[in-house]
Amino acid sequence: DQLQSQINTTRKEFEEDRLRSEQLLRSKEKEISSNIVERDQIRSQIDIARKESKEGEMRSEQMKAIIAERDQCRSEVDVLKRELEEIKLSRNKEIDDTNAERSQLQNQIDVVRKESEQDRLDSEQLLRLRDKENADVSAERNQL
């Protein structure tokens, strides 16, 4: 019962960890999508600025600001991608650890089952031996 309780607890903790990891993963994916949309908007702004701006210095200053913003966005996207990869690696390690624990618990369950079956077989053999001895004693008494 304690072993089953441990298994159930481990399963519940694993499921909670999995749900948290998935939720965090979805959140990071949304952030990345948002940054990609923002990046695309910035690229559009760059194109519009190139077409509309004919003044050299003003255009140059605008372009510098837009490029800096785009580079910042790219940097943020890169950071988010690294964080997402770290989360995935961490989640995979948690899954591997949980699977290893589950395998170890299953092995322990199998050992207990085998021992229990052997105990049952030993008990049956002892009962048969006792019954035979009782029959032999009865037979001896009857002969006397």
Side-chain angles (χ1 to χ4, degrees):
D1 286 345
Q2 182 182 3
L3 193 53
Q4 186 61 44
S5 174
Q6 289 175 342
I7 290 170
N8 290 340
T9 301
T10 301
R11 284 181 182 158
K12 181 179 179 186
E13 290 171 353
F14 171 74
E15 183 63 21
E16 290 170 354
D17 289 345
R18 185 184 66 75
L19 291 174
R20 277 195 299 276
S21 294
E22 286 179 356
Q23 184 179 11
L24 185 56
L25 184 62
R26 284 191 297 274
S27 172
K28 293 299 179 182
E29 287 172 343
K30 285 179 183 177
E31 287 181 40
I32 289 171
S33 294
S34 175
N35 283 333
I36 289 171
V37 167
E38 185 177 341
R39 182 199 65 205
D40 291 345
Q41 290 173 344
I42 290 170
R43 284 183 179 165
S44 294
Q45 291 172 359
I46 290 171
D47 292 341
I48 291 169
R50 282 182 183 156
K51 291 176 186 175
E52 292 178 354
S53 177
K54 303 220 181 212
E55 298 176 19
E57 189 174 320
M58 184 176 187
R59 182 175 143 211
S60 177
E61 291 301 316
Q62 289 174 342
M63 291 299 292
K64 287 178 185 177
I66 291 171
I67 289 171
E69 192 175 348
R70 182 197 66 200
D71 290 344
Q72 176 66 29
C73 191
R74 284 183 180 165
S75 295
E76 290 173 8
V77 167
D78 289 342
V79 167
L80 290 172
K81 284 180 180 177
R82 282 192 297 275
E83 287 177 7
L84 180 61
E85 188 59 32
E86 289 172 9
I87 289 168
K88 286 179 181 177
L89 291 173
S90 173
R91 181 173 173 233
N92 288 341
K93 184 185 180 320
E94 290 174 5
I95 289 170
D96 290 345
D97 290 348
T98 301
N99 286 339
E101 286 179 32
R102 185 182 355 200
S103 177
Q104 185 179 16
L105 290 171
Q106 186 60 49
N107 290 340
Q108 291 174 356
I109 288 170
D110 292 344
V111 167
V112 169
R113 283 184 180 151
K114 286 178 185 175
E115 289 173 353
S116 176
E117 179 63 17
Q118 187 59 49
D119 288 348
R120 186 188 64 76
L121 293 173
D122 290 346
S123 294
E124 288 176 0
Q125 186 177 5
L126 287 172
L127 287 174
R128 282 193 298 275
L129 183 60
R130 186 194 70 193
D131 290 346
K132 185 182 182 310
E133 287 176 359
N134 286 343
D136 290 347
V137 168
S138 243
E140 285 180 20
R141 281 187 190 156
N142 288 339
Q143 286 179 353
L144 295 177

